[in-house]
Amino acid sequence: MLKIHNNLTRQKEIFKPIKEGKVTMYVCGMTVYDFCHIGHARVMVVFDVVSRYLREQGYDLTYVRNVTDIDDKIIKRANENGEDITSLTERYIVAMHEDERALGVLPPDIEPKATQSMEDIISMISTLIDKGYGYVGANGDIFYSVSRFEKYGQLSGKNLEELQAGERVDVDEAKQNPFDFVLWKMSKADEPSWDSPWGKGRPGWHIECSAMSTKCLGDHFDIHGGGMDLQFPHHENEIAQSEGATGHKFVNFWMHNGFVRINEEKMSKSLGNFFTVREVLERYRPEVVRFFILSSQYRSPLNYSNESLDEASSALRRLYTALRDLKGGRESDAAKPFVERFYEAMNDDFNTPVAVAVLFDIAREINRQKGESDELAASLGNTLKRLSGLLGLLENEPEAFLKLSDGVATESALGDKEIDQLIEERITARANKEWAEADRIRDLLKEQGVILEDITGGTSWRRG
RNA sequence: GGCUGAGUGGCAGAGUGGUUAUGCAGCGGCCUGCAAAGCCGUGUACAGCGGUUCGAUUCCGCUCUCAGCCUCCA
C-alpha cells in the first residue's frame, strides 16, 4: 500500500487515485534560458522514479511536465544575447532533453509549453475575471485578488495577515493587495507579446501551470510535484487560480523535493553556486549522479560534493561487482524477503535510501552464494537487476561499467587491447611462478588506473 | 519578525519506545604466491537540559545550532 507525504496536510497519506487504476501527475519543469543544474537533475530523477514506480504498481499514469518558455528572465537573456527568444529557448530545450537522456530519465508523456498554450491561459484568465477573482490594475496588467480566495495559504501554511508582516514584498501601486499577482502582463513595445482581450501582453508565471495542467489532466488530478521553493508562492497561486476558475478541488497530493546544497547552502542560479548537469557529467558517469540523487530521501536536503560523488561511484561498483560473472536464471523464492523489503521501502513515500540498502543486502547474498550455489547467485542477480531497474540503476553491463572510470583523466591511458596484452603476459609469468614479473606488470597497470583481480579461471580488470 | 523542516557513529544516510540499517573509510581474521575483489568479525551514534515511562535516540516541553520559504528560483 503506497503512502505519499502530502504537503497539503504535512503527513503521509495512503495514496488513492481519483479514478481507480489511473494516475494523473503534473510536475513543474524548467524555465529554459540556461543549462540544467544538479538541482534540476534532482527533480527530473525523483519524479522519474515516482513515475516508474507508479507504472510498475500497475497504474495507467499520465505524466505531464511543462516547459516555461516565456518569462522575464528569458526575455532578458535573449536581449543580452541579441537573439530571438525562440532560438534561445529551443536551444536550451534541446540541451535539457540531452541531460535528461544522459541521466536515464524517461520523458514525460506530455511536455506542454507556455507559448503554445495561450488560448487556454487567456480563457482561464477570462473566467477568473468573470468570477471576480481577476481585476485590471492601475497599470493595465491583470491581477489575481488573493483576498477573494478564502483558502489562500492552505498549502504553504501561511495566512495573509502573517504575510502582511513580511517586508520582502514590493509595494506595487497597481495592485489592490501587495500579495496579488500578475495573471497577464502588458508588454512594452519591443517585447514579445500575444493578443488578448486586455491588449498585447504575456502571461504571468503562475497562470501557465494552472492552464496547462487542467488542460492536460482535467480540473482535478492526483499529484502535483516540483521543488520545495515552488510551494510558495507558485503552487499556492496555482491553487488559487485553478480552484477559483473551476470551483472545485485542484490537486489531491502535493509533492515537493528538497534542495541540492553546496556547503550546506541551497544551490541556485541566483546564488551562483551551481554546477550544471553537463559539467558534472564531464567528471562522473550519469549513473553515479543518479545513484547519488537516490541515496537520500527525496524530501531531504542533498549536499553536493566531489566526495559524495566519489562515494556513490564506489558504492555502485560494489553492486556491479556482485553482478559480474553471473549466469542467467529465473528469480526464485529465496529473493522474496528482499523483494518485500524493497517494496515496503518504496511504498513508504518512495524511501529510495532504504530501497538501495536492500540492493546491497542482495549483493552480499549473491557474493556469499557465488561458488556455493551459482544457480541461486544468478537468480538473486536477476532480482537485483529487476529491483534496481525500478530506480533506473544497474542497467549497464557489469563488465562495461567496471572497465570505465569516472572522469576524463584516465580516458587517454591504456586501451583495452594493451591491457589485455599485458594481462596475457602476466598470466604466463604467473604460470611460471615468476612472481616479480607478474607483480611488475600489475603495478604498471595500477599506475595507469587499472586494477587486476585474479579470480578463478582467469584475471579480470577494472578501472579504479 | 512570521511560517516550515532538520540536528544520528570518522563521513554519507535510514529507522525505531527495549533487539543488526545500509554504503564509504578504518581495524582484525579467512581466502590469495602476494594483491584485488569477496566473506566473517569489529567500533560503547543518536545536539543540550528537563519531563512522561519499568525503559527514550525514538513521545512531550524548553534551550542551542543549521537550512528553507515569506522577491525570481527545481
Side-chain angles (χ1 to χ4, degrees):
Chain A
M1 188 162 44
L2 175 62
K3 284 186 180 173
I4 297 180
H5 180 94
N6 186 358
N7 256 348
L8 202 54
T9 57
R10 301 252 157 66
Q11 56 192 16
K12 281 181 201 169
E13 294 173 2
I14 293 167
F15 178 70
K16 194 168 176 292
I18 296 163
K19 272 191 187 170
E20 201 182 327
K22 285 188 183 296
V23 177
T24 41
M25 176 166 83
Y26 183 92
V27 172
C28 285
M30 261 49 78
T31 300
V32 282
Y33 67 103
D34 208 339
F35 291 118
C36 293
H37 59 60
I38 295 298
H40 299 121
R42 190 175 192 191
V43 184
M44 292 180 188
V45 170
V46 162
F47 287 100
D48 180 52
V49 167
V50 169
S51 67
R52 284 174 192 242
Y53 191 68
L54 288 170
R55 291 209 163 97
E56 201 272 346
Q57 291 289 292
Y59 290 113
D60 175 13
L61 170 72
T62 306
Y63 174 22
V64 180
R65 195 188 57 210
N66 75 297
V67 173
T68 298
D69 61 349
I70 175 65
D71 130 289
D72 289 358
K73 289 191 295 295
I74 290 172
I75 294 172
K76 184 165 174 272
R77 181 65 58 90
N79 282 339
E80 286 167 7
N81 292 357
E83 66 180 323
D84 203 55
I85 61 159
T86 318
S87 75
L88 175 80
T89 56
E90 279 178 357
R91 190 165 69 251
Y92 285 112
I93 288 171
V94 169
M96 174 182 79
H97 288 152
E98 285 169 3
D99 292 342
E100 245 183 302
R101 267 197 302 278
L103 292 170
V105 169
L106 303 171
D109 299 297
I110 310 174
E111 196 174 61
K113 296 188 183 80
T115 56
Q116 292 173 359
S117 313
M118 286 301 160
E119 272 182 44
D120 305 303
I121 291 170
I122 288 167
S123 148
M124 186 174 260
I125 297 173
S126 299
T127 306
L128 286 170
I129 293 173
D130 290 347
K131 292 196 173 184
Y133 291 103
Y135 64 91
V136 182
N139 60 356
D141 290 353
I142 310 298
F143 291 99
Y144 186 99
S145 176
V146 293
S147 57
R148 287 294 315 278
F149 188 69
E150 275 183 29
K151 291 195 286 184
Y152 193 80
Q154 58 179 323
L155 176 64
S156 52
K158 299 177 190 302
N159 62 57
L160 286 169
E161 292 83 68
E162 281 166 359
L163 283 168
Q164 305 291 3
E167 291 168 355
R168 300 175 68 182
V169 174
D170 292 339
V171 178
D172 186 337
E173 296 301 324
K175 298 178 185 177
Q176 294 173 358
N177 179 312
F179 294 94
D180 289 350
F181 53 90
V182 181
L183 295 170
W184 189 260
K185 189 168 180 169
M186 294 306 156
S187 55
K188 300 193 186 88
D190 55 344
E191 287 175 343
S193 65
W194 287 262
D195 286 323
S196 84
W198 320 285
K200 281 184 175 297
R202 62 180 183 272
W205 175 38
H206 314 296
I207 193 70
E208 61 169 79
C209 284
S210 282
M212 290 188 278
S213 60
T214 52
K215 172 75 186 308
C216 298
L217 299 173
D219 292 350
H220 180 201
F221 56 94
D222 294 302
I223 300 172
H224 191 130
M228 282 295 292
D229 46 358
L230 298 184
Q231 189 174 350
F232 188 90
H234 185 56
H235 289 161
E236 195 68 62
N237 291 351
E238 276 189 56
I239 294 175
Q241 291 166 339
S242 295
E243 300 196 355
T246 67
H248 52 251
K249 182 148 181 166
F250 179 41
V251 168
N252 281 1
F253 286 82
W254 285 89
M255 293 176 69
H256 295 106
N257 64 274
F259 296 125
V260 176
R261 294 188 196 170
I262 291 191
N263 296 325
E264 305 305 320
E265 190 176 51
K266 176 184 172 183
M267 175 187 287
S268 75
K269 287 269 170 67
S270 34
L271 288 168
N273 61 345
F274 61 90
F275 290 94
T276 63
V277 172
R278 41 199 63 206
E279 275 174 317
V280 174
L281 291 183
E282 278 174 23
R283 186 152 180 184
Y284 295 98
R285 286 173 284 178
E287 193 175 2
V288 171
V289 177
R290 197 173 166 104
F291 184 93
F292 163 68
I293 290 171
L294 296 177
S295 63
S296 80
Q297 213 272 346
Y298 76 89
R299 285 184 286 118
S300 308
L302 178 62
N303 210 42
Y304 178 91
S305 68
N306 287 338
E307 290 71 31
S308 344
L309 271 287
D310 289 339
E311 194 182 301
S313 183
S314 304
L316 210 42
R317 190 174 65 216
R318 176 168 161 81
L319 293 177
Y320 270 116
T321 303
L323 285 179
R324 188 170 58 179
D325 299 326
L326 290 181
K327 310 269 186 305
R330 301 182 156 199
E331 287 196 48
S332 72
D333 286 347
K336 217 173 163 187
F338 297 114
V339 174
E340 278 171 8
R341 280 172 55 215
F342 182 91
Y343 281 102
E344 207 177 306
M346 290 301 283
N347 280 336
D348 183 17
D349 195 29
F350 309 99
N351 195 335
T352 54
V354 171
V356 167
V358 175
L359 301 183
F360 282 103
D361 288 338
I362 299 175
R364 177 182 295 112
E365 194 53 32
I366 290 172
N367 289 332
R368 277 186 191 135
Q369 293 304 328
K370 275 180 179 172
E372 291 288 320
S373 164
D374 288 340
E375 200 179 330
L376 182 51
S379 143
L380 288 167
N382 278 352
T383 303
L384 176 55
K385 273 190 275 191
R386 178 172 68 85
L387 296 182
S388 57
L390 289 174
L391 304 177
L393 296 173
L394 304 188
E395 292 184 321
N396 293 300
E397 281 301 313
E399 284 293 332
F401 182 91
L402 295 168
K403 286 182 174 169
L404 288 172
S405 67
D406 290 310
V408 283
T410 48
E411 290 284 315
S412 55
L414 290 178
D416 290 10
K417 275 186 185 168
E418 292 165 279
I419 293 169
D420 288 336
Q421 174 71 36
L422 285 163
I423 287 175
E424 282 309 314
E425 288 172 23
R426 180 166 170 275
I427 285 172
T428 310
R430 291 187 72 216
N432 297 329
K433 296 196 193 298
E434 291 164 5
W435 306 127
E437 172 63 5
D439 292 351
R440 187 190 67 80
I441 293 170
R442 186 171 62 198
D443 291 345
L444 186 134
L445 284 166
K446 194 176 177 186
E447 276 171 30
Q448 298 297 318
V450 175
I451 294 163
L452 298 190
E453 294 176 19
D454 295 325
I455 50 176
T456 36
T459 296
S460 68
W461 63 272
R462 64 182 165 86
R463 286 203 166 87

